[in-house]
Amino acid sequence: MIRPGVRRFFGLPLRTVDQVHTDADAELDAFLAERIEHLVRCGMTPDAARSEALRRLGAPMDDARIALRESASRREGRKRLHDVIREFVDDVRFAWRQCAKAPAFTTIAVLTLALSIGANTAIFSVVHRLLLAPLPFPNGNRIVMPMQEYRSVDWELAQAWQARTQTVTDIAGASEDLYSVRPDGTVDTLPSALITSNFLPMLGVRPAVGRGFMRAEELPDGQAVVAMISHSLWQRAYSARADILGQTVPLGGRLLTIVGVTPAGLSIPLARTPAPDVWVPGQMERAGAGGSGSLDRGPAIFAMLRPGVSAEAASMELQSVAASLPDSVQRQARVRVMRAQDFLTPRERRAVHVLFAAVGALLLIACANLANLLLARGWARQREFAIRGALGAGRARIGRQVLTESVSLALVGGLLGVGVAWLALRLIIALRPPTLDTLADVHLEPTVLLWTLGISVTTGILFGCVPALLAGAQSTGDVLRRETLGGSTGITARRVRSTLIVVEIAASLVLLVGSGLLVRSFAALQRMPLGFQPRGLVHATVLLGVPKYRDRKVEFRDAIIDRLRTLPGVTDVAIGVMPGKAYSVMGGLETEADSAGHSASVPLLGTVFISPNYFHVARIAVVDGRLPDPATMTADGKGRALAFSPEVLVNRELARRLWPNRSALGERVRVPPDRSSGGRVDPWSTVVGIVDDTRMPEVRGDLAAMQVYSLVPAKLGDMPILVRTAVSGDITAPMIKRAIASVHPALYVRPMLSGDTYLRDGLAPTRFAMTLITSFGVLALVLSAVGLYGVIAYSVSQRTREIGVRVALGAEPSAVIRLVVGGGLRLAGAGVVIGVALAVAATRLVESMLYGVSPRDPVAFGAVALLVAAVAIVASFVPARRALRIDPAETLRAD
């Protein structure tokens, strides 16, 4: 029997628990035997000596045996941990020495990993921000927004929810204000917000200085006497004075007493307007009615879910409460409790998923490439592995050493990948479309860095696993015999390396096909018939926030149009939004029943409120019928916000949808009574004209496809102005702003939008996805080309003797080139075939992002296949030229 410690001294395999216990029992028995023998020599009988030895043991034999076994197990565990740590440190040191001996290999491996892991980390930051991360507040995953058909709810309904629901614990409101009006009628453009007193406590936010608001300070709009200021305003306007509390801040011509300073960077969640500088307490019933609440829209309502309650369960309860309320509340619209991630459209969500899948494919290609490099390096080191095996290293020990090297490389690559990810995020922020404006402040968060660490370790295991297994599987005798006979690597290694190259090429082709489809889709979007002429258009939204002037909206509107028409370069002015956009009409639209009693309806459509010359200004063709007559507007029609005028126009798509077999002219439509706000019955409106469809690259769905054009009502909250100019919109915009301000100082103009910018922003999402996926595809193709070059070059070096013999026997240079390039093309061909099959299935992911091109477009598939083949020829031709320089005489002498 081997004594304890001998097995560890000679590095023999670790002992099992039974072996440890057997050794402990043997040690105890040997101790008792020696003690009994000593006592017998001292004159005691054997029985007396045994009894005395057991007495001196201090415990019963069974208890002593158990105690010794437990002690031996603990000691063995400590020694095993020590051995593992020592061996790991030795492996890491040896791995670094091996990497230092091959600087070219190490540089290529680290750069490849840095690029792939960096790209993966950057896209995961985007995924984390858009799809995973909650709002950046304590319990941010429980803060939600109840919405009705993607619109904010009435405060009356919110109060009913607060009193009658069990799924939410608190409901608060906030109304963001772009401007306020001083008593003299001039505009104060200091951004502010009207909030309920429980708004900041619900977010879990404490003021940086001072206190928040109390319930008693929630006064009707325009009567607040206290305020909190932003951290930014405190620093730039008050020099961060410590005695800020009790000072005053001007807002809307009033001086409000400062009671607190908000934390740095605080803004209303999910708002796309500037962070408020002044926070005022108020009652949400009057938010948006003027004064400081001047957006002419309802407040944003936020709710806190109870722990463990899902958004779906809360939606069902809030819907049931809304349905039980009187008709005075908008109770018919579907209620949905929305998290921050739910505000992404399905197309935006699909684009993020596609980008994440693309970087995953890129990482797979990098792993295959590095596995090839490690395999080549491992086969070059097979003599080293054979000698280590002959000296007693087990196969698992050798495989673990190779795996340690790969994980060490991956960790270094991941560390550099953090820098690459930072640069990539800057690029993503610069390229982001307006619809993904929340990415403006995306950064590398701790969660993302943990992802980087995990993906680095996983990557190292992935690309190091196959080389580690093959390195440990080599027989010492086989290796030495191959070296003695001058043989080359085995067939298994060649097959593994060839398989990895095929995988790389197939994955690269999938990425390139996706990017090719997006490129063709982007080109098709640029050629898409818009139905209007964006060049020369400028859109301005004018707001009026003084209650005493609201009855003069029509007067101000006419004055604005007259003033703008006198500007240099302006050819015409109309009321209306940019073509392709529209107001959402809750409840949809229904048609009057025909003689057979049949009617039709649509659940959602867009409404454009216009002046009669809108189509001339926008250059939208009226394909049938006539323009509506302004004289038909009744007093009832003028007094209703969002009510259709007596005469309306519809676009071709809506006409086809509602009246597929007859003309739409003369038909009558209205909002269904059971879906109207407050349950009212709207009068019928007559269709007097049909206009051409207007399209925008990124405005799709029923809201853009089906539209009704109605004369603008007097109580429409905003004043949408559309200006046609003969000069650049950038030149005209400042003149338009000054002209509107000259009409009345209480008018506020939101940032204007030119037609060129509108079109560019519409193309931005497709351009964003196209640029990133194309970049990944090009990088993947480069990695595949490098991998193919490495395989062919290594194959040439291994077949030096064969090529030398062929040349000595009279082989032509063209035959040698065909031999080498043909091997590369066979691998590329297999990769293309597999890649095309995978691409056919994978392109379904990008189908919703395409326009004017099939997901199985033969042009894209054919062009990418030819590109991959051309790259494969180039990557194989360089080793082929090297093969031509082989001297057959030297090759034969070497043998």
Side-chain angles (χ1 to χ4, degrees):
M1 180 180 296
I2 301 177
R3 294 182 64 84
V6 174
R7 184 178 286 106
R8 284 193 305 275
F9 181 82
F10 286 102
L12 297 177
L14 295 175
R15 299 182 298 170
T16 64
V17 175
D18 291 338
Q19 290 174 330
V20 172
H21 291 174
T22 300
D23 290 345
D25 293 343
E27 186 175 353
L28 180 60
D29 293 339
F31 172 78
L32 286 176
E34 291 177 357
R35 181 58 58 90
I36 291 172
E37 182 180 356
H38 172 71
L39 293 175
V40 169
R41 287 199 301 267
C42 292
M44 297 181 68
T45 64
D47 293 338
R50 182 175 182 79
S51 299
E52 179 63 19
L54 291 174
R55 186 187 67 79
R56 294 184 181 183
L57 190 60
M61 185 64 177
D62 292 340
D63 294 345
R65 191 178 301 279
I66 292 173
L68 187 59
R69 285 182 175 183
E70 292 176 353
S71 176
S73 297
R74 290 193 297 269
R75 184 170 62 251
E76 185 69 21
R78 289 193 297 268
K79 289 178 180 179
R80 287 184 181 182
L81 179 61
H82 177 269
D83 290 345
V84 169
I85 294 175
R86 178 176 55 81
E87 290 177 358
F88 173 74
V89 173
D90 291 342
D91 286 346
V92 172
R93 289 176 177 173
F94 186 77
W96 283 111
R97 288 198 299 269
Q98 291 298 319
C99 292
K101 289 180 181 179
F105 161 79
T106 303
T107 301
I108 293 175
V110 169
L111 289 179
T112 300
L113 286 167
L115 290 173
S116 57
I117 294 177
N120 200 284
T121 301
I123 297 300
F124 180 75
S125 298
V126 174
V127 172
H128 183 264
R129 168 58 62 89
L130 297 179
L131 302 181
L132 301 177
L135 292 173
F137 301 102
N139 296 318
N141 58 332
R142 293 166 50 203
I143 299 175
V144 294
M145 285 188 69
M147 306 288 288
Q148 284 187 308
E149 303 292 354
Y150 292 93
R151 295 167 48 154
S152 184
V153 302
D154 291 340
W155 184 246
E156 180 184 355
L157 179 57
Q159 288 180 313
W161 285 338
Q162 177 76 70
R164 300 173 56 180
T165 57
Q166 302 296 323
T167 55
V168 298
T169 60
D170 201 5
I171 293 180
S175 177
E176 49 192 337
D177 300 334
L178 298 178
Y179 74 102
S180 57
V181 182
R182 302 186 182 99
D184 61 359
T186 58
V187 173
D188 184 357
T189 57
L190 192 68
S192 61
L194 187 74
I195 61 174
T196 55
S197 58
N198 64 331
F199 179 70
L200 295 186
M202 190 190 73
L203 298 182
V205 173
R206 294 180 177 272
V209 178
R211 65 171 177 85
F213 299 135
M214 296 181 290
R215 183 66 180 270
E217 294 170 334
E218 291 183 6
L219 300 177
D221 188 33
Q223 300 182 22
V225 296
V226 299
M228 287 190 292
I229 61 174
S230 68
H231 195 275
S232 174
L233 183 64
W234 179 43
Q235 290 184 322
R236 70 175 187 267
Y238 298 89
S239 302
R241 292 167 49 187
D243 60 345
I244 186 62
L245 301 182
Q247 303 294 321
T248 58
V249 57
L251 183 68
R254 296 173 290 124
L255 292 178
L256 306 181
T257 302
I258 299 174
V259 297
V261 177
T262 61
L266 179 65
S267 62
I268 297 177
L270 305 174
R272 293 187 175 183
T273 54
D277 279 328
V278 181
W279 301 75
V280 180
Q283 298 173 356
M284 288 296 110
E285 296 94 331
R286 298 178 59 84
S292 62
S294 52
L295 288 185
D296 269 336
R297 61 179 180 177
I301 305 300
F302 296 89
M304 174 70 74
L305 296 178
R306 290 188 182 276
V309 174
S310 66
E312 292 74 17
S315 297
M316 294 177 61
E317 185 185 31
L318 297 186
Q319 181 73 68
S320 64
V321 172
S324 66
L325 294 177
D327 291 342
S328 59
V329 179
Q330 291 184 352
R331 60 187 182 88
Q332 298 295 336
R334 185 173 67 90
V335 177
R336 182 184 178 190
V337 173
M338 302 183 70
R339 302 163 300 171
Q341 298 85 358
D342 297 331
F343 284 90
L344 283 180
T345 65
R347 295 183 67 253
E348 292 168 346
R349 188 180 296 272
R350 175 59 61 87
V352 174
H353 288 160
V354 168
L355 290 176
F356 199 39
V359 294
L362 179 64
L363 191 64
L364 176 64
I365 293 170
C367 289
N369 205 344
L370 291 173
N372 254 325
L373 289 175
L374 282 177
L375 273 175
R377 192 161 176 264
W379 285 107
R381 294 171 59 189
Q382 55 187 327
R383 178 178 176 82
E384 169 200 334
F385 295 147
I387 294 175
R388 292 178 64 185
L391 293 176
R395 294 181 178 181
R397 184 71 178 82
I398 296 175
R400 190 177 68 187
Q401 174 62 54
V402 176
L403 200 58
T404 301
E405 293 182 21
S406 65
V407 173
S408 299
L409 287 172
L411 290 175
V412 176
L415 183 62
L416 293 180
V418 172
V420 174
W422 185 87
L423 294 175
L425 282 180
R426 304 281 75 73
L427 178 63
I428 290 173
I429 291 173
L431 294 175
R432 75 188 189 281
T435 54
L436 296 181
D437 193 58
T438 52
L439 294 178
D441 59 346
V442 64
H443 56 279
L444 299 176
E445 301 178 354
T447 303
V448 176
L449 295 179
L450 287 176
W451 166 268
T452 305
L453 176 62
I455 204 69
S456 298
V457 175
T458 303
T459 300
I461 294 173
L462 282 176
F463 73 77
C465 187
V466 173
L469 292 175
L470 292 181
Q474 294 301 301
S475 169
T476 302
D478 292 342
V479 172
L480 296 179
R481 278 193 297 273
R482 279 201 303 268
E483 291 202 349
T484 302
L485 297 174
S488 62
T489 59
I491 190 173
T492 302
R494 291 198 298 271
R495 287 178 176 174
V496 170
R497 300 195 68 202
S498 298
T499 301
L500 291 175
I501 286 299
V502 170
V503 169
E504 287 187 57
I505 293 175
S508 300
L509 187 135
V510 172
L511 288 181
L512 288 171
V513 166
S515 64
L517 291 174
L518 288 176
V519 169
R520 285 180 53 78
S521 181
F522 184 75
L525 285 173
Q526 290 181 308
R527 299 189 302 268
M528 179 178 70
L530 303 178
F532 70 100
Q533 177 53 258
R535 186 173 299 278
L537 283 182
V538 179
H539 178 260
T541 300
V542 184
L543 302 178
L544 177 64
V546 182
K548 66 180 181 180
Y549 293 143
R550 289 193 168 177
D551 293 336
R552 299 176 58 188
K553 275 190 175 183
V554 175
E555 174 189 340
F556 286 150
R557 189 179 297 160
D558 295 340
I560 290 172
I561 291 176
D562 293 339
R563 187 68 54 85
L564 293 179
R565 282 174 175 163
T566 64
L567 294 179
V570 172
T571 59
D572 204 353
V573 183
I575 300 295
V577 297
M578 272 287 189
K581 291 189 174 181
Y583 296 96
S584 172
V585 174
M586 297 176 67
L589 188 74
E590 72 171 356
T591 65
E592 188 177 30
D594 58 17
S595 57
H598 300 300
S599 63
S601 64
V602 290
L604 182 68
L605 75 158
T607 298
V608 184
F609 297 103
I610 61 168
S611 59
N613 66 329
Y614 171 81
F615 304 101
H616 172 71
V617 174
R619 303 291 192 267
I620 299 175
V622 179
V623 297
D624 198 5
R626 61 174 175 83
L627 296 176
D629 185 359
T632 61
M633 289 291 291
T634 63
D636 181 63
K638 289 182 180 179
R640 291 190 180 193
L642 299 182
F644 296 139
S645 57
E647 294 184 347
V648 298
L649 293 90
V650 297
N651 68 338
R652 282 178 167 178
E653 179 61 28
L654 183 59
R656 285 192 295 266
R657 192 79 63 92
L658 294 180
W659 304 280
N661 300 318
R662 63 183 188 272
S663 172
L665 298 181
E667 299 290 343
R668 300 209 299 173
V669 296
R670 70 178 180 184
V671 176
D674 60 337
R675 298 177 184 174
S676 299
S677 177
R680 72 187 182 200
V681 178
D682 283 347
W684 291 101
S685 299
T686 303
V687 177
V688 298
I690 302 173
V691 300
D692 199 5
D693 295 331
T694 58
R695 304 175 182 87
M696 276 299 292
E698 291 303 320
V699 182
R700 306 180 192 176
D702 288 345
L703 197 61
M706 299 185 294
Q707 294 185 343
V708 171
Y709 295 87
S710 171
L711 291 177
V712 59
K715 286 192 174 182
L716 182 66
D718 300 341
M719 297 184 195
I721 308 294
L722 195 64
V723 181
R724 169 67 64 180
T725 71
V727 296
S728 171
D730 295 335
I731 298 175
T732 311
M735 293 190 297
I736 293 175
K737 186 173 184 178
R738 288 193 298 268
I740 294 174
S742 67
V743 172
H744 197 281
L747 297 174
Y748 175 77
V749 184
R750 284 180 175 173
M752 282 175 279
L753 178 65
S754 68
D756 292 337
T757 302
Y758 179 51
L759 182 59
R760 184 175 64 250
D761 291 346
L763 292 170
T766 301
R767 183 190 296 112
F768 176 72
M770 177 191 69
T771 302
L772 291 183
I773 294 182
T774 301
S775 300
F776 298 151
V778 171
L779 182 57
L781 184 61
V782 171
L783 292 178
S784 299
V786 171
L788 181 60
Y789 166 80
V791 167
I792 301 301
Y794 186 75
S795 175
V796 168
S797 66
Q798 293 295 311
R799 300 174 65 181
T800 300
R801 181 175 181 274
E802 174 193 343
I803 294 174
V805 171
R806 287 175 179 268
V807 173
L809 294 177
E812 295 293 333
S814 58
V816 176
I817 291 179
R818 285 196 302 270
L819 174 68
V820 177
V821 175
L825 287 180
R826 282 191 294 273
L827 295 178
V832 167
V833 171
I834 296 174
V836 167
L838 293 176
V840 169
T843 49
R844 296 178 181 176
L845 296 175
V846 298
E847 186 171 2
S848 63
M849 303 167 59
L850 302 179
Y851 174 82
V853 61
S854 168
R856 295 169 182 80
D857 180 51
V859 175
F861 276 78
V864 169
L866 291 177
L867 175 63
V868 172
V871 171
I873 292 174
V874 173
S876 304
F877 187 74
V878 176
R881 287 181 57 86
R882 183 181 302 170
L884 291 178
R885 294 195 293 268
I886 295 175
D887 188 347
E890 293 183 2
T891 302
L892 296 176
R893 278 197 299 270
D895 288 339

